[in-house]
Amino acid sequence: MVSPALTVTIDNGDRTLRPSGVRIRDLLRVGELIEAAVVEATGRELDEEGVPLVTLAGVREGSLKLVLAVAAVAATTAATTLAAVGAADYSQIPPNAQDQLADLSRYLVTRDWSARLSGLTRKPVVIDAAHPVPAAKRVRLTERRTVYGECILSGGVQPKARLRLTSNRRLLWITGSEQLVQQLGTRLYDVVGVSGTAIVDARTHEVLSFQADTVTPYSGRKADPAAALDVLAKIARRVESTSPIDRTESEGDL
Amino acid sequence: MILLDCNSLVYATERQSDPKIAELGVRLRHYLAQLSERETPVAVPSLVLYEYLCGYPVEDHPQMVSALETNYIIFDVGVAAASKAAELFRNRPADTGPKQRAKLDTLIAATAVVEGVSEIVSEDRDYTALTLGQIATKKPSQLPKPPRDLFEDTPDEQ
């Protein structure tokens, strides 16, 4: 399937930016932030065939035009996200996607650049000082929480790990002690549970940041739910041998 | 991800005088073994854990909790679940039974919704109705029986 192309044209206010005036790393950073926004909006990094949702399809006009291929599976969400920017109405897109676009907006404005994004929406969308993207408005709550997810990364100078949450498949960075992160490192690509302090969005309940302090005993791929029932059944037999278990107390309708 | 309700745990672990109910436990255990082979996580909300433990002396709880939390994802009932439960309860179908029971089961259902559970195993409660169609309910009585042991109930050879 042909991936829709998203063209990002960089310019500055007085249109004096020369084709050679943009460094490769700056242009790639623009692409990286767009990719991050699409990943946050869709809640996934890859399509069904394992291909990244946003890939580099070309650099044109010196370094002024970046052409990105958006995977078909993400095209509608990417278009909706960009349309939200065009309409300055962010109510229908995930706050994390908006925050990535806000980062892109700051990045462009600090360089006095303007980005014109075309190809996915009916009208091109412009992000610049006159059309900035604000950070998502959030009411934050701090709560104790346990999250479960597949550990896909672990390590770093500042110890952290990345989980793909079982609840919504979204990616979450968690911070913790070096020892905790090392412990998670031994469980790469396994489902782990971590408890800690979460800062969550009060409206969406989405976890914005997570400071982990404990890895739960859940054994992931090695879990054997039927074996656990054997342990429970053994205890049940012993208890039943002295007195019947009264399920009417707790169950009511059992 | 699959979630078990309290009755499923009870049927699978406690002696049942009714052979039909006892068979539900057999089917459920076979299903859990299949889920293990497919590496499908199985979850139990802390509310279900609470209901189940109510039947047992306190001194047995640590061993039971340890067996469950090692092999099951145990979901806390947090703010998100409480909020979702209130929403589901206010929009519940008319025939969900006694109010207090429905409130408790709705909280279990809401925990499943916010934690991304795809299926709840329950013989007695229609969680699909409680979650307004968001989660499938699978009855243990509808699960396949385990294949018969080759040597089980075989008539003696003459």
Side-chain angles (χ1 to χ4, degrees), chain B residues 2-158:
Chain B
I2 310 298
L3 184 141
L4 303 185
D5 80 345
C6 186
N7 287 356
S8 295
L9 278 181
V10 168
Y11 297 152
T13 57
E14 296 176 7
R15 189 165 287 138
Q16 304 296 329
S17 52
D18 182 343
K20 283 185 181 170
I21 300 286
E23 193 191 273
L24 300 182
V26 175
R27 289 173 188 252
L28 184 66
R29 281 164 165 269
H30 176 57
Y31 184 52
L32 291 177
Q34 289 178 320
L35 293 175
S36 280
E37 283 173 17
R38 299 202 296 260
E39 296 184 352
T40 303
V42 184
V44 169
S46 52
L47 263 179
V48 166
L49 181 61
Y50 151 67
E51 282 188 279
Y52 184 77
L53 292 177
C54 280
Y56 291 89
V58 174
E59 55 270 25
D60 287 319
H61 292 183
Q63 193 186 352
M64 300 174 99
V65 170
S66 172
L68 285 169
E69 68 181 358
T70 305
N71 295 289
Y72 291 78
I73 287 179
I74 308 286
F75 291 133
D76 295 334
V77 180
V79 176
S83 172
K84 176 57 75 178
E87 178 193 323
L88 293 176
F89 187 76
R90 290 180 68 85
N91 293 299
R92 71 190 186 283
D95 53 350
T96 50
K99 203 171 177 181
Q100 289 309 315
R101 183 70 236 178
K103 269 189 179 170
L104 188 63
D105 286 346
T106 304
L107 196 46
I108 292 168
T111 306
V113 171
V114 300
E115 298 292 353
V117 167
S118 58
E119 175 189 297
I120 301 178
V121 181
S122 175
E123 189 66 24
D124 314 283
R125 171 61 88 179
D126 180 0
Y127 282 98
T128 306
L130 276 187
T131 58
L132 307 176
Q134 294 177 74
I135 295 181
T137 305
K138 186 166 274 180
K139 291 188 171 199
S141 58
Q142 295 169 338
L143 294 171
K145 282 184 184 178
R148 280 167 61 102
D149 189 310
L150 282 176
F151 302 102
E152 185 188 8
D153 298 326
T154 306
D156 291 341
E157 288 182 18
Q158 298 300 313

Side-chain angles (χ1 to χ4, degrees), chain A residues 199-242:
Chain A
I199 296 177
V200 301
D201 185 307
R203 183 173 62 88
T204 63
H205 303 292
E206 186 182 356
V207 180
L208 304 174
S209 67
F210 196 92
Q211 173 74 37
D213 52 48
T214 314
V215 179
T216 74
Y218 180 63
S219 52
R221 286 208 182 87
K222 291 180 183 165
D224 187 344
L229 297 185
D230 291 339
V231 175
L232 301 186
K234 197 174 168 188
I235 294 169
R237 297 287 172 273
R238 182 173 45 74
V239 173
E240 285 163 340
S241 68
T242 53

Side-chain angles (χ1 to χ4, degrees), chain A residues 98-116:
Chain A
Q98 186 183 341
D99 283 345
Q100 293 295 343
L101 291 167
D103 283 351
L104 172 63
S105 180
R106 278 193 298 275
Y107 192 78
L108 295 167
V109 169
T110 54
R111 284 160 179 74
D112 194 24
W113 287 357
S114 172
R116 185 172 179 271

Side-chain angles (χ1 to χ4, degrees), chain A:
Chain A
M1 190 178 287
V2 178
S3 299
L6 171 64
T7 303
V8 185
T9 308
I10 307 291
D11 200 348
N12 60 357
D14 53 8
R15 297 189 176 275
T16 56
L17 196 61
R18 286 176 293 137
S20 57
V22 178
R23 287 185 302 189
I24 291 172
R25 68 177 181 213
D26 290 344
L27 191 68
L28 292 180
R29 178 64 181 150
V30 170
E32 190 182 6
L33 287 167
I34 291 171
E35 180 191 12
V38 173
V39 166
E40 291 293 352
T42 54
R44 55 195 293 178
E45 287 191 324
L46 307 171
D47 70 5
E48 294 87 350
E49 292 168 359
V51 175
L53 296 186
V54 180
T55 48
L56 184 61
V59 178
R60 312 260 163 80
E61 296 178 23
S63 297
L64 291 185
K65 195 171 276 189
L66 187 63
V67 183
L68 304 171
V70 179
V73 70
T76 305
T77 306
T80 305
T81 305
L82 291 181
V85 176
D89 175 3
Y90 303 97
S91 57
Q92 301 303 315
I93 65 171
N96 282 356
Q98 186 183 341
D99 283 345
Q100 293 295 343
L101 291 167
D103 283 351
L104 172 63
S105 180
R106 278 193 298 275
Y107 192 78
L108 295 167
V109 169
T110 54
R111 284 160 179 74
D112 194 24
W113 287 357
S114 172
R116 185 172 179 271
L117 298 95
S118 58
L120 290 185
T121 49
R122 200 164 49 82
K123 286 185 192 170
V125 171
V126 174
I127 302 176
D128 59 17
H131 309 88
V133 178
K137 286 180 186 166
R138 303 172 192 268
V139 176
R140 290 174 159 85
L141 299 175
T142 302
E143 63 181 38
R144 179 93 194 147
R145 195 182 267 210
T146 300
V147 295
Y148 290 87
E150 183 186 7
C151 182
I152 58 171
L153 275 175
S154 165
V157 178
Q158 291 182 321
K160 60 184 180 179
R162 199 165 208 203
L163 301 188
R164 186 184 307 283
L165 298 177
T166 53
S167 57
N168 57 14
R169 309 291 297 158
R170 288 195 178 278
L171 299 167
L172 175 69
W173 282 112
I174 63 169
T175 53
S177 68
E178 196 175 325
Q179 188 186 13
L180 182 139
V181 171
Q182 277 175 356
Q183 194 181 348
L184 292 176
T186 65
R187 301 276 303 274
L188 275 181
Y189 305 111
D190 196 5
V191 176
V192 296
V194 285
S195 299
T197 305
I199 296 177
V200 301
D201 185 307
R203 183 173 62 88
T204 63
H205 303 292
E206 186 182 356
V207 180
L208 304 174
S209 67
F210 196 92
Q211 173 74 37
D213 52 48
T214 314
V215 179
T216 74
Y218 180 63
S219 52
R221 286 208 182 87
K222 291 180 183 165
D224 187 344
L229 297 185
D230 291 339
V231 175
L232 301 186
K234 197 174 168 188
I235 294 169
R237 297 287 172 273
R238 182 173 45 74
V239 173
E240 285 163 340
S241 68
T242 53
S243 61
I245 296 167
D246 183 4
R247 281 291 161 198
T248 55
E249 271 183 73
S250 60
E251 279 291 283
D253 51 3
L254 245 189

